[in-house]
Amino acid sequence: MKRKITLKQIAKELDVSISTVSKALRNSVEISEDTKQKVQAFAKLYNYRPNNIALSLKNRKTNTIGIIIPEIVHHFFSKVISGVETVANNRGYNVIVGLSNESFSKEVINMEMLANGSIDGFILSISKETLQQQDYHHFNETMSQGMPIVMFDRVIADIKCDKVIVDDYKGSKNAVEKLITNGCKSIALITTKDYVSVGKLRTQGYLEALHEHKMTPKAELILKIDDTLDYEVHLDALELEIEQLFKSNKKIDGVFAVNELYALSAMKVARKLGLDIPNDIQVIGFTDGVLSKHATPSLTTVSQHAQQMGETAANLLIDKLENEFDDEKEEEFQTVVIATELIERESTK
Amino acid sequence: MKRKITLKQIAKELDVSISTVSKALRNSVEISEDTKQKVQAFAKLYNYRPNNIALSLKNRKTNTIGIIIPEIVHHFFSKVISGVETVANNRGYNVIVGLSNESFSKEVINMEMLANGSIDGFILSISKETLQQQDYHHFNETMSQGMPIVMFDRVIADIKCDKVIVDDYKGSKNAVEKLITNGCKSIALITTKDYVSVGKLRTQGYLEALHEHKMTPKAELILKIDDTLDYEVHLDALELEIEQLFKSNKKIDGVFAVNELYALSAMKVARKLGLDIPNDIQVIGFTDGVLSKHATPSLTTVSQHAQQMGETAANLLIDKLENEFDDEKEEEFQTVVIATELIERESTK
DNA sequence: TTGTACGCGTTATCAA
DNA sequence: TTGATAACGCGTACAA
């Protein structure tokens, strides 16, 4: 078990100084051809590679970006990571992953852990608990230390940083309009509590679509789910609530759900009640997931282009990292909006 | 924009030496109470945290583990990461993720990038291309440099390192036995080409189960899919092949598929051909995925306990990292087998 | 053309 | 009780 070879060892072996070796390997004109050849051959033989950590320390730059997400076992987030990773790798960066598990304290701890020199900047999506508590000091502190943050999907308007979001509002509006165009007269909405910003925006899109088509929103058609519950319990409760909704509003002929699971649950309950999809009831979900594609019937959804969100976020962050010259200028932050796309499948006519 | 504060700056501010500050912060008995208090208060005020990179360089230990997987947008792999991350965080480690995208060269490049000091050890699952080319030099080189590797799921018997695998053989055998017990007389197998070790083992389990129940395996009931194709093309081709299989073997009353997608496709085709599940045909898949749970009918599967695999791998790796005292002793490698579990749902009787 | 010295931030050892 | 020094591995300005 031989340790990785260092400049020092090469220098010793070849009986030259460390800096000579360093220069020779970087093909400096200061060094004679002879020495260069000798050193380079030796380095190649022993497969010399500069130590990243030493470089990071010296350059005060790690070439690593940290990504903090609420959950990794989730198609949307893993797709975002995939996008980040692709761009990061192409531009010479590594990606280090932290999971908040939707917990405020884990989010804080993870960020502190990484902020102490391990990374150059963050890409993150805020945990539900943080959104609820509305405690954002850790983001501001991180940035005040000169570490840039790019937020995606779950963002906060008040925080000054780059952001990548989806046009939740417009995407939802389009989806609901699609249902209206398809002839739905009584459209239910299955959404989350309002503190999740995206849930709120998607709800607004729903309302606006109804409004524009002179349809009166009815409170009894809007189901706001408390998604802080344990997953299994949540799912059962969800189905019960949806069943209740359908039973007390027999006229429902369209459902817009703000995520994939809600949409699938709606389809399941509808089937159970003997309703045909899409003839009796049409359903649209909001997501990029695999479930939609393979469901029976397959689910029409608003696609978020998660991969593209990740790529965009990574580019924004790396651009910022590599353009620190404008230190004096007032910092400018961008918010990139990724267009959604309605993917029509079998759950709509 | 204030940079993170360092020992040096604190020392300068308080007009003491760097080493005094360092010792005071670590509560050394060498330092007077007075000085300690002064230094600690100041450090707290400025939120001092030791720089990880400097520590890594000094200690030659990064407290970071690298995980290389073929694909992150995949329920199984993201669950493994989740397991790794949980254990790693609890034991004071960070996780840095590299994706091979099933490509040999990306796997090599990613590993080289991380092996140059960024991490202390690897957890990985081998890419398909690597398995096909059977070129494993990068694993051996990495290990010969003293960097431990723990492989999971897709492993190679010849490589000497710790491994975490699932009892693919037994899991498959159990699944097929379940079908037999449930009365299936003609059981089809949908599997991958043999170079994917897990595909091979699962095929063997299938054969053994038939054998033990004195059923003769028939070549025409075994469908070996070439899964190197592009995903979309692959899926269409897959369904065609399955349809062909069903049409030319009308007696098939049971299907065992080595992954979730194959199983779902089988169900889809069966439905299309007017077969009822589970009455006409019973289906079992092999995986941990979400699809199985939410499919219609929900799919009986062999669960791999991906999360547990990740946790086990992380513990193995960290144990090894923290027990390097037995340098002289012959290194011992373990292979931990995680038991599978048959999760019965609606696709079997 | 080569080598010395320094600094990145930290800790450990030894000297004062 | 405190401080100076060396070392981790590297690159570079400057001296020889």
Side-chain angles (χ1 to χ4, degrees):
Chain A
M1 159 162 140
K2 49 178 187 202
R3 277 222 161 278
K4 290 227 69 166
I5 198 165
T6 67
L7 288 186
K8 199 189 204 174
Q9 292 166 41
I10 299 182
K12 194 172 171 191
E13 288 296 324
L14 298 182
D15 208 37
V16 289
S17 79
I18 295 178
S19 62
T20 301
V21 177
S22 176
K23 287 171 187 164
L25 289 177
R26 330 196 86 238
N27 240 316
S28 161
V29 285
E30 294 179 38
I31 306 294
S32 72
E33 276 307 317
D34 258 21
T35 318
K36 273 198 245 184
Q37 293 225 341
K38 193 175 58 171
V39 172
Q40 288 175 3
F42 191 90
K44 184 157 195 181
L45 182 64
Y46 282 88
N47 195 29
Y48 170 80
R49 293 278 183 281
N51 180 310
N52 285 334
I53 294 291
L55 287 180
S56 295
L57 183 58
K58 176 144 191 53
N59 303 330
R60 291 153 148 203
K61 175 120 174 50
T62 62
N63 272 267
T64 301
I65 71 191
I67 176 164
I68 309 277
I69 51 173
E71 201 182 344
I72 197 174
V73 186
H74 193 299
H75 198 263
F76 173 72
F77 288 118
S78 60
K79 261 219 136 112
V80 171
I81 295 187
S82 171
V84 170
E85 224 267 348
T86 308
V87 169
N89 264 27
N90 281 338
R91 299 183 69 173
Y93 286 72
N94 280 318
V95 177
I96 185 163
V97 172
L99 307 180
S100 68
N101 270 322
E102 303 286 12
S103 136
F104 172 77
S105 62
K106 262 212 80 179
E107 183 174 277
V108 172
I109 291 173
N110 252 305
M111 285 187 66
E112 281 181 354
M113 201 154 163
L114 297 184
N116 297 324
S118 302
I119 61 163
D120 297 332
F122 281 107
I123 291 176
L124 62 85
S125 196
I126 307 176
S127 83
K128 280 182 195 162
E129 203 185 348
T130 307
L131 290 170
Q132 249 176 323
Q133 299 183 196
Q134 305 191 25
D135 182 347
Y136 310 127
H137 77 276
H138 49 309
F139 302 134
N140 291 319
E141 271 174 22
T142 304
M143 287 187 292
S144 80
Q145 285 172 167
M147 179 156 306
I149 295 181
V150 177
M151 294 190 178
F152 70 91
D153 198 52
R154 301 195 199 154
V155 305
I156 294 297
D158 292 346
I159 300 182
K160 294 203 193 324
C161 66
D162 287 325
K163 288 160 197 163
V164 181
I165 53 175
V166 117
D167 55 346
D168 289 284
Y169 173 79
K170 215 160 124 194
S172 302
K173 198 178 145 202
N174 283 345
V176 176
E177 276 174 344
K178 172 74 187 172
L179 290 174
I180 297 173
T181 312
N182 280 6
C184 295
K185 302 296 178 199
S186 180
I187 302 174
L189 169 71
I190 307 179
T191 183
T192 60
K193 300 270 183 204
D194 276 349
Y195 66 86
V196 178
S197 54
V198 296
K200 193 170 178 181
L201 284 167
R202 291 174 195 170
T203 301
Q204 287 171 2
Y206 162 85
L207 293 174
E208 179 59 21
L210 292 187
H211 179 73
E212 282 193 6
H213 289 78
K214 316 232 184 296
M215 294 167 69
T216 320
K218 295 180 189 160
E220 64 268 28
L221 291 185
I222 299 180
L223 193 56
K224 290 194 182 183
I225 307 292
D226 178 5
D227 57 352
T228 52
L229 297 173
D230 174 55
Y231 182 78
E232 294 298 333
V233 179
H234 178 204
L235 204 59
D236 287 343
L238 176 62
E239 285 175 14
L240 279 176
E241 290 204 64
I242 295 174
E243 190 167 341
Q244 199 58 45
L245 172 76
F246 284 175
K247 281 185 174 163
S248 41
N249 300 278
K250 306 244 174 190
K251 283 189 174 173
I252 291 176
D253 53 4
V255 173
F256 174 59
V258 300
N259 64 41
E260 187 172 49
L261 215 48
Y262 293 179
L264 251 67
S265 299
M267 293 210 293
K268 188 169 168 191
V269 172
R271 236 183 351 253
K272 184 176 156 194
L273 298 178
L275 299 167
D276 179 77
I277 302 167
N279 292 316
D280 298 331
I281 194 165
Q282 300 183 51
V283 182
I284 298 184
F286 202 119
T287 192
D288 260 359
V290 276
L291 287 175
S292 313
K293 191 169 186 175
H294 297 286
T296 321
S298 58
L299 178 69
T300 295
T301 61
V302 180
S303 163
Q304 299 162 285
H305 298 297
Q307 176 100 16
Q308 195 191 335
M309 289 186 78
E311 291 169 7
T312 308
N315 277 320
L316 278 177
L317 181 61
I318 297 177
D319 286 350
K320 181 134 291 181
L321 290 175
E322 297 183 350
N323 286 309
E324 292 188 59
F325 50 80
D326 49 2
D327 239 8
E328 296 310 310
K329 232 186 297 174
E330 184 67 25
E331 274 219 88
E332 282 173 22
F333 296 109
Q334 312 179 41
T335 294
V336 178
V337 179
I338 306 287
T340 55
E341 183 187 2
L342 190 68
I343 299 185
E344 298 186 39
R345 298 205 184 87
E346 300 162 359
S347 67
T348 49
K349 288 184 195 167
Chain B
M1 157 162 138
K2 46 176 191 204
R3 278 221 159 278
K4 292 226 69 167
I5 197 165
T6 67
L7 288 185
K8 200 187 203 175
Q9 291 166 42
I10 299 181
K12 196 173 170 187
E13 289 297 325
L14 298 182
D15 206 38
V16 290
S17 76
I18 296 179
S19 49
T20 302
V21 177
S22 175
K23 285 172 188 164
L25 289 176
R26 330 196 85 240
N27 239 318
S28 162
V29 286
E30 297 178 33
I31 306 296
S32 70
E33 276 308 316
D34 259 20
T35 319
K36 274 198 244 183
Q37 293 222 342
K38 195 175 59 174
V39 172
Q40 288 175 3
F42 191 91
K44 184 159 195 178
L45 182 63
Y46 283 88
N47 195 28
Y48 169 81
R49 292 279 183 280
N51 180 311
N52 285 334
I53 295 292
L55 287 180
S56 296
L57 183 60
K58 174 129 194 65
N59 303 331
R60 294 153 147 200
K61 175 120 175 51
T62 61
N63 272 267
T64 301
I65 72 192
I67 175 163
I68 310 278
I69 51 172
E71 199 182 345
I72 197 174
V73 187
H74 193 299
H75 198 262
F76 173 72
F77 288 119
S78 58
K79 261 217 134 122
V80 171
I81 296 187
S82 171
V84 170
E85 224 266 350
T86 309
V87 169
N89 265 26
N90 282 339
R91 298 185 67 173
Y93 285 72
N94 280 317
V95 176
I96 184 163
V97 172
L99 307 180
S100 68
N101 270 321
E102 303 286 10
S103 138
F104 172 77
S105 61
K106 265 211 79 181
E107 183 174 277
V108 173
I109 291 172
N110 252 306
M111 284 188 66
E112 281 181 354
M113 201 155 162
L114 298 185
N116 297 324
S118 302
I119 61 163
D120 296 332
F122 281 108
I123 290 176
L124 61 84
S125 196
I126 307 175
S127 84
K128 279 182 195 163
E129 204 185 346
T130 307
L131 289 171
Q132 248 176 324
Q133 299 183 197
Q134 305 191 25
D135 182 348
Y136 311 126
H137 76 277
H138 49 309
F139 303 134
N140 292 318
E141 271 173 23
T142 304
M143 287 187 292
S144 79
Q145 284 171 169
M147 180 157 304
I149 294 181
V150 178
M151 295 191 179
F152 70 91
D153 198 51
R154 301 195 199 153
V155 306
I156 295 295
D158 292 346
I159 299 182
K160 293 204 194 324
C161 67
D162 287 326
K163 289 161 198 164
V164 181
I165 54 176
V166 116
D167 55 345
D168 290 284
Y169 173 79
K170 215 158 125 193
S172 303
K173 196 176 146 203
N174 283 345
V176 175
E177 276 174 345
K178 171 77 189 171
L179 291 173
I180 297 173
T181 312
N182 280 7
C184 296
K185 302 294 180 200
S186 180
I187 302 173
L189 169 70
I190 308 179
T191 183
T192 60
K193 301 271 183 202
D194 277 349
Y195 66 86
V196 178
S197 53
V198 296
K200 194 169 176 181
L201 285 167
R202 291 173 196 170
T203 302
Q204 286 173 1
Y206 163 85
L207 294 173
E208 179 59 21
L210 293 188
H211 179 74
E212 281 194 6
H213 289 78
K214 314 231 185 295
M215 294 167 72
T216 321
K218 294 180 190 161
E220 63 267 29
L221 291 184
I222 299 181
L223 192 55
K224 290 195 182 183
I225 307 292
D226 179 5
D227 57 352
T228 52
L229 297 173
D230 173 55
Y231 183 78
E232 294 298 332
V233 179
H234 178 203
L235 204 58
D236 288 345
L238 175 63
E239 285 175 14
L240 279 176
E241 289 204 64
I242 294 174
E243 191 167 341
Q244 199 56 45
L245 171 75
F246 283 176
K247 282 183 174 164
S248 41
N249 300 278
K250 308 244 174 190
K251 284 189 174 171
I252 291 176
D253 53 4
V255 174
F256 174 59
V258 300
N259 63 41
E260 187 173 48
L261 215 48
Y262 292 179
L264 252 67
S265 300
M267 292 209 294
K268 189 169 167 190
V269 172
R271 241 186 343 257
K272 184 177 157 196
L273 297 179
L275 298 168
D276 179 76
I277 301 167
N279 292 317
D280 298 332
I281 194 165
Q282 300 182 52
V283 183
I284 299 184
F286 202 120
T287 193
D288 259 357
V290 276
L291 288 176
S292 312
K293 191 170 186 173
H294 298 285
T296 321
S298 57
L299 179 68
T300 295
T301 61
V302 180
S303 162
Q304 298 162 288
H305 299 297
Q307 176 100 17
Q308 195 192 335
M309 288 186 79
E311 291 169 7
T312 308
N315 276 321
L316 277 177
L317 182 60
I318 298 176
D319 286 348
K320 180 136 290 181
L321 290 174
E322 298 184 348
N323 286 309
E324 292 188 60
F325 50 79
D326 49 4
D327 239 8
E328 296 310 310
K329 232 187 296 172
E330 185 66 27
E331 275 219 88
E332 281 173 24
F333 297 109
Q334 311 180 41
T335 294
V336 177
V337 180
I338 306 286
T340 54
E341 182 186 4
L342 190 67
I343 299 185
E344 297 187 39
R345 298 205 185 87
E346 300 162 358
S347 66
T348 48
K349 287 185 198 168

